[in-house]
Amino acid sequence: MKNNIKYFVTGLFSVLTLCFYSCKEDDEIASEFSLDKEEIAVGENGGIEIVNVGGNVKWQTTTDATWVRVVPSSGVGAASCEIQVDSSVVADFRNAEIQFMAQGLAAPKILKVVQAGYAKGVFVENADQEIVIENSAEYGKRYYDLQMTANTNFSVSVTSEGNWLRYKDKVPVYDYGDRPRTFTQRFEWDINVSETERTAQITITPAEGEPVVLQVRQKSAPKITDDRAGDSLALLSIYKSMNGMLGWNDGENMMYWDGVELWKATDGVSKDMIGRVKSVTFRLFETYESLPYQVRYLKTARSITFTGNANTFIKSIKLGPEICELAQYNNLKELTISAYGLTALPDNFKDLGKNLELLDLSSNNFEDGLEVINKANFPKLKVLRLNKINRYDTTKDLSQVADNDTIGFRWYTGFGEGFESLPAKTNRTFFKNLLQWDTLEELSLTMSLLQGELPSDEEVRNIVGADKVYTWDYISQTFGDTIKLEDAKKYLLANGGAPMVWPKMKSLSLNLSFLTGKLPKWLLYHPYLAYWNPYSMIFQQELSAINSNGDKVGFNNEPTSLSNYSNTGYTEGSYYEVYPGRKPDYEDSGATE
């Protein structure tokens, strides 16, 4: 028992002794904490800096700066901390403090953060480098986007000869502080048709800071040579510029291109013309512009056709002067620019008249400006097609159309009662000029906004001239045995001779227009009436349509057939009674006997 007590006391003494020395050792271990930096500097764009923490105690960080973060923000012992700094929003420098609180330290350690501010001004990357622009591109892609950064208001000016480079965007207004913003400013440019380069200068002037000056150079147009290779390059360039939907294979011989015909030796042309473009048709494209400038290089073309612009009715395109330059080569005989969206012709359009034999401007949106197309300016023209020279197919009531409505070319024959107060836009002379064009062989005016009445024989004499009448010499030379002398006396030679209106006209269409009144003798007894398919192409006016007077359109004396003129009001007899040699062996098509 005594021994047990002895052992217990001895053990207790040993434990107490160990605890005493252990506690004394803990009191002697010091708290350690350190930072390898006292201050960091960060640029205006912000960033991340590393701070190394040393020590053997718990620690944590605090800061009242919302633009600074510490990751991690607390820990035990040594660690590496990321000091994350947001980009600046001010022009001046700004400061922050991060407090590192450590266990056992009476005061925190301070890490100072200094961030540079943004200087006021405009920054353009690579501003010292020249901007190079292509000479051409598709419509809608002729622009240059300038990437820039700014934190102040600024102005933009462009210096370019001929205004070929233009500033497009609206200058933004800065009212949100000094932090710069990066954005795009757009500059539009025109096609360079010259074989030399051209330059421009862009100046960006900030409200504060130094201006930025940029030099711009546009490449020259590719040289289109006056040969077969030049022809193919011109054709490809034209169609590409118009956003053509079909296209040609530039690796294929041009003679196999659809819509392209080349001159052959059998055409009787000079040797240098053989293999060059004789005719070309551009169809199915999407453009808001006039014909591409390369059309001027189609020097050898006898026939050129542009047709099928997408959404024609919404386009308002003025034809440029380039196509008219072809007049100097005396080769272009046929020109078609239909369904294109044209609203005006160039001042030099009449230059084409000295050579053209066919002109087709159908399905365009003309409002006026067609007076240039007349016999004096186009003395060789035989075929004139002006079908549907209006913007919409749905115009049925001209009495409800305002004067400023852009529905198309509105015109008046110059004859008929009640048309004194037509809208100011109405053309009153063009139709009368057409009546005098005695060399035309085809005239198409289908679906036009033409209203009024056709002139009577007496009225038309004042237009074509009293001396312009049919004679037997003219009839026999022109119509041969198809018209006999005795037959001609029934109308053509009666009363001193009938007025010669369109005496060579083998094809005429006036249908689906807004004509009213009485069909005149000169038309119902015209020598070529049987060739005109009159019941479809002359007599039939726009269905259920109303003219500007509020009258229903249509003629009031349409014959039942060319063999029956009983309801026309004329006593010369039917057409086939006057011209029995013209009567076919079958009934009149589309008419009732």
Side-chain angles (χ1 to χ4, degrees):
M1 181 72 175
K2 291 181 178 179
N3 290 335
N4 290 339
I5 294 173
K6 177 180 178 182
Y7 292 145
F8 174 77
V9 172
T10 302
L12 179 62
F13 177 78
S14 299
V15 170
L16 291 175
T17 302
L18 179 62
C19 288
F20 172 79
Y21 283 108
S22 176
C23 290
K24 184 176 181 180
E25 183 178 351
D26 286 345
D27 290 341
E28 291 176 353
I29 298 175
S31 298
E32 295 181 1
F33 184 78
S34 64
L35 301 176
D36 68 341
K37 295 183 179 72
E38 294 182 354
E39 180 177 315
I40 60 173
V42 183
E44 64 271 18
N45 292 322
I48 297 175
E49 293 288 332
I50 302 297
V51 172
N52 294 312
V53 175
N56 58 3
V57 296
K58 292 182 179 180
W59 53 270
Q60 65 179 20
T61 63
T62 61
T63 180
D64 58 359
T66 59
W67 47 277
V68 176
R69 291 178 297 279
V70 182
V71 179
S73 61
S74 62
V76 178
S80 291
C81 295
E82 288 187 355
I83 311 300
Q84 301 175 353
V85 181
D86 290 342
S87 59
S88 181
V89 294
V90 296
D92 297 328
F93 282 86
R94 61 180 179 179
N95 302 287
E97 288 186 350
I98 302 174
Q99 296 182 351
F100 284 80
M101 308 292 294
Q103 184 179 14
L105 296 184
K109 286 192 175 294
I110 303 299
L111 175 66
K112 293 183 178 180
V113 180
V114 179
Q115 185 177 31
Y118 290 103
K120 289 286 190 177
V122 173
F123 172 75
V124 179
E125 189 175 1
N126 299 324
D128 58 335
Q129 298 180 11
E130 184 181 52
I131 298 172
V132 180
I133 296 175
E134 296 296 326
N135 88 290
S136 180
E138 297 176 6
Y139 181 84
K141 297 182 180 179
R142 298 173 198 152
Y143 58 83
Y144 178 80
D145 284 340
L146 183 66
Q147 304 295 325
M148 57 185 296
T149 303
N151 62 351
T152 183
N153 292 327
F154 60 88
S155 61
V156 178
S157 63
V158 178
T159 304
S160 65
E161 185 176 354
N163 195 34
W164 67 266
L165 182 67
R166 298 172 299 278
Y167 177 57
K168 178 64 176 178
D169 284 354
K170 182 179 180 181
V171 175
V173 176
Y174 287 90
D175 56 2
Y176 45 78
D178 296 307
R179 176 184 291 175
R181 289 191 178 181
T182 299
F183 52 90
T184 299
Q185 295 289 82
R186 177 159 292 184
F187 296 82
E188 291 186 345
W189 49 267
D190 295 332
I191 293 175
N192 185 7
V193 302
S194 172
E195 294 180 2
T196 59
E197 296 180 342
R198 58 185 179 183
T199 60
Q201 181 174 284
I202 299 173
T203 302
I204 303 171
T205 305
E208 301 178 54
E210 296 296 321
V212 177
V213 179
L214 304 167
Q215 303 299 326
V216 184
R217 174 172 59 88
Q218 186 177 32
K219 296 180 181 180
S220 61
K223 183 176 179 58
I224 298 180
T225 54
D226 188 10
D227 52 23
R228 180 185 172 93
D231 288 353
S232 62
L233 177 58
L235 296 182
L236 292 169
S237 299
I238 290 170
Y239 202 49
K240 180 180 179 181
S241 296
M242 301 174 72
N243 298 321
M245 303 175 191
L246 299 178
W248 293 300
N249 183 354
D250 58 2
E252 187 179 45
N253 191 306
M254 189 167 50
M255 66 183 297
Y256 300 115
W257 290 2
D258 183 44
V260 178
E261 182 182 1
L262 307 180
W263 287 104
K264 302 176 183 177
T266 55
D267 292 324
V269 293
S270 61
K271 185 177 180 180
D272 60 339
M273 292 273 284
I274 298 173
R276 302 287 299 274
V277 172
K278 179 180 181 181
S279 68
V280 58
T281 297
F282 300 91
R283 61 169 61 90
L284 297 180
F285 44 82
E286 171 71 48
T287 184
Y288 287 81
E289 299 179 301
S290 179
L291 305 181
Y293 76 92
Q294 294 95 336
V295 73
R296 62 162 61 119
Y297 295 107
L298 303 180
K299 301 176 182 179
T300 63
R302 185 186 188 279
S303 174
I304 299 176
T305 296
F306 292 88
T307 184
N309 194 5
N311 300 313
T312 304
F313 70 98
I314 68 172
K315 308 291 175 63
S316 295
I317 301 171
K318 179 179 179 180
L319 183 64
E322 293 81 6
I323 185 71
C324 303
E325 296 180 27
L326 297 179
Q328 62 185 302
Y329 306 110
N330 301 319
N331 291 318
L332 187 61
K333 306 296 183 184
E334 300 179 357
L335 176 63
T336 296
I337 309 175
S338 63
Y340 197 94
L342 295 180
T343 56
L345 300 173
D347 295 337
N348 62 338
F349 191 72
K350 65 180 181 180
D351 293 348
L352 293 171
K354 67 178 184 178
N355 298 309
L356 277 189
E357 297 175 2
L358 180 150
L359 176 61
D360 188 346
L361 297 176
S362 300
S363 299
N364 282 298
N365 304 329
F366 292 108
E367 293 288 327
D368 50 34
L370 295 179
E371 292 83 355
V372 67
I373 305 173
N374 56 56
K375 179 183 177 181
N377 290 335
F378 292 78
K380 296 183 180 179
L381 200 67
K382 297 178 181 179
V383 178
L384 177 60
R385 296 169 184 160
L386 297 174
N387 300 310
K388 193 189 173 297
I389 44 175
N390 52 73
R391 193 176 291 271
Y392 306 110
D393 296 338
T394 57
T395 303
K396 299 288 186 179
D397 190 349
L398 294 183
S399 67
Q400 301 300 314
V401 177
D403 189 39
N404 59 352
D405 288 342
T406 57
I407 63 172
F409 187 71
R410 284 178 270 177
W411 46 328
Y412 168 52
T413 63
F415 302 94
E417 296 181 358
F419 292 94
E420 293 79 10
S421 58
L422 289 172
K425 274 189 175 183
T426 304
N427 184 289
R428 299 169 179 265
T429 61
F430 189 52
F431 185 76
K432 290 183 177 181
N433 291 336
L434 291 180
L435 288 172
Q436 301 176 62
W437 208 332
D438 55 8
T439 57
L440 286 178
E441 297 180 8
E442 178 184 331
L443 177 62
S444 299
L445 305 177
T446 295
M447 294 185 67
S448 66
L449 303 179
L450 174 63
Q451 59 181 320
E453 298 181 7
L454 295 176
S456 66
D457 282 25
E458 292 72 21
E459 291 170 328
V460 82
R461 288 181 193 275
N462 296 325
I463 303 298
V464 301
D467 59 329
K468 296 297 180 64
V469 296
Y470 288 100
T471 66
W472 179 245
D473 287 342
Y474 179 86
I475 296 171
S476 60
Q477 292 174 9
T478 305
F479 306 112
D481 294 337
T482 60
I483 299 178
K484 304 296 184 180
L485 176 59
E486 290 304 314
D487 300 330
K489 289 180 179 180
K490 296 177 183 178
Y491 173 69
L492 293 180
L493 300 179
N495 302 316
M500 292 180 64
V501 184
W502 298 323
K504 298 182 179 181
M505 193 74 70
K506 298 179 178 67
S507 177
L508 175 67
S509 62
L510 299 173
N511 60 317
L512 301 180
S513 297
F514 289 76
L515 296 173
T516 52
K518 188 176 182 180
L519 289 165
K521 286 184 181 181
W522 63 262
L523 188 142
L524 287 179
Y525 294 111
H526 194 285
Y528 283 117
L529 178 68
Y531 295 86
W532 294 348
N533 188 13
Y535 285 90
S536 296
M537 307 309 295
I538 304 293
F539 304 154
Q540 180 65 63
Q541 293 301 289
E542 186 66 64
L543 298 174
S544 304
I546 304 297
N547 66 12
S548 293
N549 293 340
D551 300 324
K552 185 177 179 180
V553 305
F555 299 109
N556 56 28
N557 66 334
E558 178 184 328
T560 57
S561 73
L562 298 187
S563 297
N564 185 358
Y565 273 24
S566 60
N567 63 328
T568 63
Y570 305 127
T571 60
E572 287 79 0
S574 71
Y575 182 81
Y576 289 142
E577 288 178 303
V578 174
Y579 306 110
R582 298 289 174 89
K583 186 174 182 179
D585 295 332
Y586 50 85
E587 298 287 340
D588 296 337
S589 176
T592 58
E593 292 290 352

